[in-house]
Amino acid sequence: MSDEFDGTTLDTGTWLPHYLPAWSSRAATRATYEVRDSCLRLSVPPEQAVWCDGDHEPPLRVSAVQSGNFSGPAGSTVGQQPYRPGLRVREAQPLFRGSLPHHGYLEMRARMVLTPRSMAAWWMVGFEDDPAHCAEICVAEVFGKAVEPGVSAEVGMGLHAFRDPHTREDFAAPRLPIDVSEFHTYAVDWTPTRATFLVDGEPVRECPDPPDYPMQHMIAVFDFPGWPSDDPTTPELVVDHLREG
């Protein structure tokens, strides 16, 4: 799969424009986005509702697209990335397999518009049709409060094990001399034995023994309304392309 985001519509055969809808609903998790100027533009405007009616801690607002979706019937505890123990599916969702890569070189070219209370990220997570297939490969995660505008930013990257007994927690956020408001290429070279994280073609981190099963893409921009900030800027993640190789 390679998506250059040409045209004016999202490829809904690849992308679901909702964020983990099983824990809420399709209606309440719908992303705010545009496809224009050969880019996907995800944003969190002031009218965006708080996700999951504020049940998540901290409360967040989010616009996201994901390339897969798996969950059980309403009332079950089967679903992707549960944010607390015992969480139950609120609304049954159809199975969706848009793109589930398993190894390869993957890259996203993007820029971010962030405030001290927002964050943008691209990560991959196991499909979780097998409950142990739940680990995460985080390729790029940037919090606005960790950005020195025009100078540098902490870019999170690495592995989150969650409930996967075969994956080791291995995550860091090195400060890089980049302006995240400009386009940069964030990438991972994922093999059965290691995941190498790169920014603009330069290796930054390497993690051994990454997850070894198909994973779905998650691309999102978040706003945390409880965090202090008087910056009225609308958070945005602008994606020029996402490519699998």
Side-chain angles (χ1 to χ4, degrees):
M1 185 275 291
S2 293
D3 200 334
E4 307 295 320
F5 300 107
D6 293 328
T8 58
T9 59
L10 187 70
D11 177 6
T12 54
T14 299
W15 301 108
L16 179 70
H18 300 268
Y19 182 64
L20 302 173
W23 308 130
S24 179
S25 69
R26 284 289 181 106
T29 59
R30 185 175 295 113
T32 300
Y33 72 93
E34 292 182 273
V35 180
R36 62 177 172 88
D37 303 326
S38 194
C39 289
L40 168 65
R41 310 173 73 95
L42 292 162
S43 62
V44 186
E47 63 272 17
Q48 190 93 8
V50 176
W51 187 64
C52 280
D53 300 324
D55 181 64
H56 184 275
E57 184 58 42
L60 59 87
R61 303 184 303 144
V62 56
S63 285
V65 296
Q66 55 191 66
S67 68
N69 194 64
F70 173 80
S71 58
S76 78
T77 58
V78 177
Q80 298 171 325
Q81 298 208 296
Y83 54 85
R84 59 173 170 79
L87 192 63
R88 294 190 178 274
V89 172
R90 295 191 190 182
E91 180 182 277
Q93 302 293 322
L95 183 72
F96 178 67
R97 295 177 179 267
S99 178
L100 301 174
H102 188 184
H103 304 144
Y105 176 83
L106 306 104
E107 70 170 36
M108 178 182 76
R109 184 173 184 265
R111 64 178 182 86
M112 307 169 186
V113 179
L114 300 173
T115 74
R117 72 176 211 182
S118 61
M119 182 262 278
W122 165 39
W123 69 102
M124 295 184 292
V125 65
F127 195 62
E128 294 198 50
D129 50 346
D130 179 329
H133 292 177
C134 61
E136 177 183 313
I137 299 175
C138 181
V139 188
E141 174 186 274
V142 180
F143 285 89
K145 60 186 179 182
V147 172
E148 186 176 358
V151 178
S152 68
E154 293 180 4
V155 181
M157 57 188 73
L159 310 179
H160 289 305
F162 297 124
R163 301 164 312 283
D164 181 348
H166 304 295
T167 298
R168 184 182 67 183
E169 188 75 14
D170 189 351
F171 184 84
R175 180 165 291 276
L176 303 180
I178 61 173
D179 179 358
V180 295
S181 69
E182 301 292 334
F183 280 107
H184 294 280
T185 301
Y186 306 92
V188 60
D189 186 8
W190 173 28
T191 75
T193 58
R194 52 118 178 100
T196 303
F197 298 90
L198 308 94
V199 177
D200 295 330
E202 295 296 323
V204 178
R205 293 197 75 227
E206 184 171 293
C207 298
D209 303 319
D212 191 11
Y213 41 78
M215 308 188 86
Q216 69 188 50
H217 298 286
M218 308 285 291
I219 304 173
V221 58
F222 297 84
D223 175 73
F224 300 92
W227 292 3
S229 175
D230 56 5
D231 188 336
T233 304
T234 295
E236 189 176 29
L237 175 58
V238 181
V239 183
D240 177 52
H241 68 244
L242 192 145
R243 296 171 181 166
E244 300 174 359

